[in-house]
Amino acid sequence: MAATTPPQVLYEHEGVFIHSSSEDSEDQGLLVSGFLRIIDKDGEAIVDYKPLEDAVDPTNMLCAGKKPHRTVDQQQSCETEWDMVNTISFRRKPYTNGEGGSNHMHERNKWAFSISAVDLKSITVSAEGWTHVTFHLKDDTALPTIHFHQGGSEGFMECLRKCVHLSKSVCPSDESLFFVSAFNKALSQSFENLLDDTNYGLKDPYTTTLGGFSKVTNYIYDAFRGSDLEYRQRPPEEMADLLGEVIPGLEINQQEEPGFEVITRVDLGPRPVVRRREPLTVEGWLKYQDPEGRMRNVPDLKKNIFKGGLCHAARKEAWKFLLGFFPWESTYEERKVLQKRKTDEYFRMKLQWRSVSEEQERRNSKLRDYKSLIEKDVNRTDRNNKYYEGLDNPGLILLHDILMTYCMYDFDLGYVQGMSDLLSPILFVMESEVDAFWCFVSFMDQLVSHDNFEEQMQGMKTQLIQLSTLLRLLDLAFWNYLESQDSGYLYFCFRWLLIRFKRELHFPDVLRLWEVMWTGLPCQNFHLLVCCAILDSEKQKIMDRHYGFNEILKHINELSMKLDIEEILHKSESICLQIKNCKVRVCLQAGVDVHSSSPSVTRQLLFLCAQDIPPSVGEILGLTAAYDTQTAECGKPDSSHLTRALHRPEQAVSNGHRHLTETPRGVCTAAFIS
């Protein structure tokens, strides 16, 4: 039998209290003091609480008076203000390997508990003077609240975050609530399989891709479900508050007129026809420069690049501006000075890793790991491209050196799989080690700001949520189909977002797409609309053939190198204009009884107000929601409006699918009608 690893104490704190229930006459007013530990037992994190052998009498305790309620962050920062002097000498019970387990309550002491961290559903962290924490299990059991009279809650939460994923509730009224989901141990290794494709000579790219997706899927799926739960459990009054936030000026009275439902309908309108232009030439680029080299009329220049891209000869200079290496207002002379300073800075950083001896490297595991991963990825990056093909190719050496130097530039981030894919096109265009490095730094700054390469993948999760929101607005029928196939969170778009379609398009098309996206037009997060455009082209095939979860993944993976970049850009821009022009209608639906089965029941709509774009969508795309006068002035209609409305025929406003979900009488709902 294989030997088990001895349990390891990851966190331990003495003086954590449980306040006995006032309803228990025997223990009324008793303070139970004990040790709180987080233990790693065979790779499983155990939260373990063991009381000391003596309880604490509150008469023997001197404690600072409770202060007014503050936020959790404020409370934790103030814990050091609290001191407790106890006249009882505690006898510590040593921890043995046999302690711990799955039982919620210790047989010998009703206050003890030992639980696996993965059995936690949520944690409430709040404070009134000191911080106190309540654990909620997946079987809806609530453990006794533990009180950190002597501080230590920050260390506990920090240690717990290393064992499980904690996502803070987005509901303002539940800021102290954290949802718990387990980390997928294979997540960190999934990038290699996820990113691998036929370019790397895989025998079975479909199996490998699905394997990588399955690892990522479990993690993201659990993380998403946590935030969904609170919305499903929200009472009607909270939903009314949320609707009020979405539609300024709208007041909802749930007590009166219970026969009415609030319905939100989105009218996308027709998708505009857009025209693209020819790529901007070198001569066209130079027309935007003044005699001293400053770029003039930058908004118009960006518009031309967005509409047609750049010819290859213009890219080497233009990309430096688009990526922020050169300021638009800089002169020729200022750029020469900047170039010299950045060259010196680059080679100083390069010298740092080149001067590390073998002996030093043996004692620097992080640098050693970065170097090993870079060498592995560089040797398989774009080897079909003439710039990188063959053995001992100078392009591969530059790719390696730039990525190693980037580890010196941002050692905390270091190197993450996928970065070689992002650098390759930039180095191909720049043909200069220094210029490519600083352009790559700017590109990475954009992606790091999205948390694309953050360890817990919060940025990727956010982008997938945003993409799901946009797709739900654009085509609810398709979104519902994906949801029915457990694909509503669009896991299959993960690689698209992580490395910006690098593996989906032919190399020249990647250059065209990236320079278009770097203009920042026609909205922020334009890459999400590119995803929507691709899915819009494939939705009919997916639905008509009744693809399930695995078939959807396979189909999306097989789109690689089959996409038409001009068609995608046409459709992406058209979708953006369609969203900008969409209208949201808010109506009251009236009926004798919304659940009556009688055919005589009439259901009529009273138009309340309209707004130009759903605020959540406007925030994603950076579009300011401009409400019309009627929206700004709309509120609860008076009875005369209601009377007139009941005699009007229903005027359905939708984006083509006429989908409406009925809700219980008197319950306020906000739903996209598509």
Side-chain angles (χ1 to χ4, degrees):
M1 182 180 295
T4 58
T5 305
Q8 179 185 2
V9 178
L10 306 177
Y11 168 88
E12 184 176 41
H13 188 69
E14 181 182 357
V16 179
F17 289 79
I18 290 178
H19 295 192
S20 64
S21 172
S22 59
E23 297 176 359
D24 191 336
S25 59
E26 294 182 3
D27 296 335
Q28 187 171 1
L30 185 68
L31 294 179
V32 180
S33 178
F35 286 93
L36 180 66
R37 302 180 180 96
I38 299 179
I39 304 163
D40 184 349
K41 186 176 182 182
D42 295 332
E44 181 181 12
I46 304 294
V47 179
D48 184 81
Y49 180 81
K50 292 292 186 293
L52 296 169
E53 293 183 1
D54 291 309
V56 181
D57 186 341
T59 60
N60 292 326
M61 182 183 72
L62 177 63
C63 186
K66 290 187 178 182
K67 298 183 180 182
H69 178 75
R70 294 174 288 191
T71 63
V72 174
D73 293 339
Q74 291 172 322
Q75 292 292 349
Q76 291 179 343
S77 65
C78 297
E79 281 182 355
T80 54
E81 301 173 6
W82 291 86
D83 295 314
M84 182 174 69
V85 180
N86 202 317
T87 59
I88 295 179
S89 60
F90 298 118
R91 293 194 296 275
R92 178 171 177 170
K93 297 171 69 175
Y95 172 74
T96 63
N97 291 355
E99 291 182 358
S102 58
N103 293 333
H104 298 335
M105 293 297 173
H106 196 286
E107 292 178 357
R108 294 173 296 172
N109 194 312
K110 66 179 181 180
W111 300 114
F113 59 82
S114 186
I115 57 170
S116 173
V118 297
D119 289 334
L120 290 171
K121 176 182 178 181
S122 62
I123 301 174
T124 302
V125 184
S126 52
E128 289 182 7
W130 53 76
T131 300
H132 47 89
V133 176
T134 305
F135 301 104
H136 307 276
L137 305 181
K138 290 181 178 178
D139 61 4
D140 293 327
T141 302
L143 298 180
T145 300
I146 56 175
H147 298 254
F148 291 84
H149 287 269
Q150 298 174 318
S153 63
E154 283 188 83
F156 172 74
M157 294 297 290
E158 181 179 351
C159 182
L160 190 62
R161 281 189 175 93
K162 296 177 182 178
C163 304
V164 291
H165 177 71
L166 299 180
S167 54
K168 195 172 185 179
S169 170
V170 297
C171 180
S173 61
D174 289 329
E175 290 183 350
S176 60
L177 183 64
F178 294 83
F179 292 97
V180 182
S181 56
F183 288 133
N184 190 323
K185 292 183 180 179
L187 181 64
S188 60
Q189 290 117 18
S190 68
F191 284 98
E192 181 176 353
N193 289 339
L194 183 67
L195 296 174
D196 278 345
D197 60 14
T198 53
N199 290 340
Y200 295 150
L202 295 176
K203 294 182 180 179
D204 188 356
Y206 169 50
T207 302
T208 304
T209 302
L210 290 185
F213 270 120
S214 66
K215 296 172 185 176
V216 179
T217 293
N218 292 335
Y219 169 76
I220 299 180
Y221 187 82
D222 290 341
F224 276 53
R225 288 300 181 191
S227 59
D228 273 357
L229 182 62
E230 56 186 305
Y231 284 102
R232 291 199 299 270
Q233 294 179 340
R234 279 190 177 135
E237 56 270 16
E238 284 193 27
M239 293 305 297
D241 292 339
L242 289 173
L243 186 60
E245 294 174 7
V246 173
I247 309 168
L250 177 63
E251 297 178 2
I252 302 170
N253 188 330
Q254 293 184 293
Q255 314 310 330
E256 300 176 11
E257 301 160 343
F260 290 90
E261 291 179 88
V262 177
I263 304 296
T264 301
R265 296 191 171 196
V266 177
D267 180 13
L268 284 174
R271 189 170 291 176
V273 177
V274 298
R275 291 180 175 82
R276 294 190 55 76
R277 305 172 187 170
E278 291 297 315
L280 186 66
T281 62
V282 174
E283 294 75 16
W285 169 266
L286 293 175
K287 288 179 181 179
Y288 286 93
Q289 287 186 344
D290 69 11
E292 294 183 336
R294 298 182 185 87
M295 303 306 298
R296 299 174 294 189
N297 199 1
V298 175
D300 187 64
L301 172 59
K302 286 184 177 181
K303 183 178 179 181
N304 278 327
I305 297 174
F306 172 77
K307 281 291 189 178
L310 294 156
C311 71
H312 190 70
R315 284 180 174 137
K316 185 177 293 188
E317 182 176 3
W319 278 26
K320 297 174 188 177
F321 288 91
L322 289 172
L323 284 167
F325 179 30
F326 286 166
W328 293 100
E329 67 280 2
S330 62
T331 63
Y332 294 125
E333 291 302 318
E334 289 170 342
R335 291 198 285 275
K336 285 182 182 178
V337 173
L338 176 64
Q339 188 95 31
K340 184 180 184 306
R341 178 166 58 84
K342 288 295 186 180
T343 300
D344 293 342
E345 187 177 349
Y346 172 77
F347 283 107
R348 280 197 302 270
M349 289 186 292
K350 183 174 180 178
L351 184 62
Q352 291 175 358
W353 65 267
R354 289 182 67 92
S355 61
V356 173
S357 67
E358 291 184 6
E359 186 177 353
Q360 287 176 303
E361 188 175 314
R362 282 198 299 269
R363 294 194 296 268
N364 191 330
S365 60
K366 242 186 174 180
L367 181 62
R368 193 168 61 246
D369 291 343
Y370 289 156
K371 184 177 180 181
S372 174
L373 197 55
I374 288 171
E375 289 173 352
K376 179 182 178 181
D377 283 359
V378 163
N379 285 328
R380 58 182 194 176
T381 298
D382 290 326
R383 297 308 301 273
N384 294 328
N385 188 303
K386 290 184 179 180
Y387 194 78
Y388 299 109
E389 68 181 2
L391 298 175
D392 300 323
N393 187 296
L396 294 180
I397 297 173
L398 291 180
L399 203 63
H400 170 274
D401 289 358
I402 293 172
L403 292 171
M404 284 297 299
T405 306
Y406 185 80
C407 291
M408 297 295 105
Y409 175 81
D410 190 344
F411 202 83
D412 287 340
L413 178 60
Y415 178 79
V416 180
Q417 283 185 305
M419 287 184 181
S420 61
D421 276 290
L422 299 174
L423 173 60
S424 170
I426 295 175
L427 179 58
F428 172 81
V429 169
M430 293 298 147
E431 299 179 312
S432 162
E433 182 177 3
V434 174
D435 292 349
F437 173 81
W438 289 111
C439 287
F440 176 68
V441 165
S442 297
F443 192 20
M444 284 301 301
D445 286 345
Q446 296 177 20
L447 298 176
V448 171
S449 68
H450 283 92
D451 292 331
N452 269 32
F453 296 97
E454 188 257 344
E455 184 178 359
Q456 296 186 16
M457 303 170 64
Q458 186 61 39
M460 295 302 300
K461 172 184 169 183
T462 299
Q463 290 179 78
L464 288 169
I465 291 174
Q466 292 174 334
L467 178 56
S468 182
T469 300
L470 292 173
L471 187 62
R472 187 169 186 250
L473 169 70
L474 292 167
D475 197 323
L476 185 60
F478 182 45
W479 185 90
N480 282 333
Y481 178 82
L482 294 176
E483 182 76 5
S484 70
Q485 303 301 322
D486 291 328
S487 299
Y489 290 127
L490 311 178
Y491 316 115
F492 46 81
C493 299
F494 184 90
R495 189 174 68 183
W496 298 359
L497 299 174
L498 182 68
I499 53 175
R500 292 298 190 266
F501 309 95
K502 170 63 167 54
R503 298 285 182 85
E504 320 312 317
L505 301 168
H506 292 288
F507 200 86
D509 293 343
V510 172
L511 308 184
R512 174 59 44 80
L513 176 62
W514 283 9
E515 63 199 12
V516 165
M517 292 194 299
W518 290 338
T519 65
L521 299 175
C523 61
Q524 71 181 23
N525 289 321
F526 182 66
H527 64 288
L528 298 180
L529 297 184
V530 173
C531 295
C532 291
I534 298 174
L535 293 175
D536 184 77
S537 298
E538 301 301 319
K539 66 180 181 182
Q540 209 58 49
K541 185 179 296 183
I542 291 173
M543 295 173 71
D544 289 348
R545 298 182 181 181
H546 306 291
Y547 283 162
F549 181 83
N550 289 339
E551 290 81 11
I552 293 172
L553 286 179
K554 180 177 183 293
H555 178 74
I556 295 299
N557 183 58
E558 290 176 347
L559 293 177
S560 179
M561 304 301 154
K562 298 177 183 177
L563 299 172
D564 185 330
I565 185 59
E566 286 303 318
E567 178 186 341
I568 291 171
L569 290 174
H570 266 97
K571 186 169 287 189
S572 303
E573 182 183 359
S574 183
I575 289 173
C576 181
L577 295 176
Q578 184 183 29
I579 292 176
K580 283 183 177 181
N581 296 330
C582 82
K583 295 291 182 182
V584 178
R585 313 284 180 177
V586 181
C587 311
L588 279 182
Q589 181 167 270
V592 177
D593 182 352
V594 295
H595 285 291
S596 172
S597 59
S598 169
S600 63
V601 173
T602 58
R603 312 194 78 189
Q604 313 235 3
L605 292 175
L606 167 65
F607 174 72
L608 292 180
C609 54
Q611 62 192 52
D612 289 341
I613 189 172
S616 59
V617 174
E619 184 178 350
I620 293 170
L621 300 180
L623 305 174
T624 303
Y627 300 98
D628 59 21
T629 306
Q630 189 169 9
T631 304
E633 296 176 352
C634 78
K636 180 186 172 185
D638 58 32
S639 57
S640 61
H641 290 162
L642 289 174
T643 303
R644 290 195 297 271
L646 290 174
H647 295 285
R648 283 198 218 119
E650 175 180 354
Q651 296 184 359
V653 184
S654 70
N655 60 359
H657 297 286
R658 294 190 54 80
H659 172 82
L660 175 63
T661 302
E662 294 191 5
T663 55
R665 178 173 177 173
V667 174
C668 171
T669 62
F672 287 154
I673 307 303
S674 298

